[in-house]
Amino acid sequence: AVVSTQSTGVFASCSADWTVKIWDHNYSEPMFTFDLGSSVGDIVWSPYSATVFGAVTDDGMVHIFDLSQEKYEPLCQQSVVQKKKTKVNHLAFNKHYPIIAVGDDRGNAMTLKLSPNLRKALREKTYSKENEIAKMEKLLELVREPSNK
């Protein structure tokens, strides 16, 4: 599980069952579940937005989500391997530049530039951790059910 650095009590998990789940530590059921169609090797939260995260899957795909823009589908999916047997197993967001680094099981690494809509927070002068926490809390309020605790 990966704890969000931008939001308190929110974490993400990924597994070989093809799913990514977003959790609120106060609830026993996930807030969001995404089926990515292949074993998920890594998941990471963006360092500059509480609602952006990425995942990589064994079929060589990178999936980037922004829950504030689209709650049910990734905003971007990109194949990053040339050989079908290569599995992508690591992903990292750069803290200062709009790029991500991706690694595979053969020791290869590559970088990808994020699209402009996924790097808004890097340009905004009004960024604050408090605003990011509030953004995630507002989103979670939409999906929480009182009986799920």
Side-chain angles (χ1 to χ4, degrees), residues 2-148:
V2 179
V3 176
S4 172
T5 59
Q6 298 290 327
S7 186
T8 57
V10 176
F11 63 96
S13 64
C14 65
S15 75
D17 73 355
W18 301 6
T19 63
V20 168
K21 296 179 181 181
I22 308 299
W23 303 82
D24 178 331
H25 76 286
N26 293 315
Y27 292 80
S28 61
E29 297 294 321
M31 300 287 104
F32 297 96
T33 300
F34 304 96
D35 184 337
L36 301 187
S38 184
S39 292
V40 185
D42 194 16
I43 185 170
V44 63
W45 289 100
S46 162
Y48 51 81
S49 176
T51 59
V52 174
F53 67 91
V56 292
T57 52
D58 282 357
D59 60 356
M61 298 290 288
V62 175
H63 308 263
I64 304 294
F65 292 80
D66 184 347
L67 298 175
S68 70
Q69 300 293 317
E70 172 59 58
K71 290 188 255 334
Y72 306 107
E73 298 290 329
L75 286 184
C76 174
Q77 295 179 347
Q78 178 69 44
S79 178
V80 294
V81 297
Q82 294 178 353
K83 296 180 181 179
K84 292 288 182 193
K85 293 182 180 178
T86 303
K87 297 177 181 176
V88 182
N89 57 12
H90 193 69
L91 173 68
F93 281 86
N94 186 290
K95 292 180 182 177
H96 305 289
Y97 299 102
I99 59 173
I100 56 173
V102 181
D104 67 31
D105 64 345
R106 297 175 185 241
N108 298 312
M110 65 204 75
T111 57
L112 302 166
K113 186 176 181 180
L114 292 173
S115 66
N117 62 329
L118 289 170
R119 48 186 154 131
K120 284 185 243 175
L122 287 172
R123 296 187 312 258
E124 294 175 359
K125 303 263 189 275
T126 59
Y127 169 83
S128 76
K129 188 169 183 172
E130 293 78 22
N131 288 345
E132 291 302 314
I133 291 170
K135 184 167 64 169
M136 179 59 95
E137 282 301 315
K138 182 177 177 182
L139 177 68
L140 291 176
E141 285 299 321
L142 297 173
V143 296
R144 285 184 181 131
E145 294 181 24
S147 62
N148 281 357

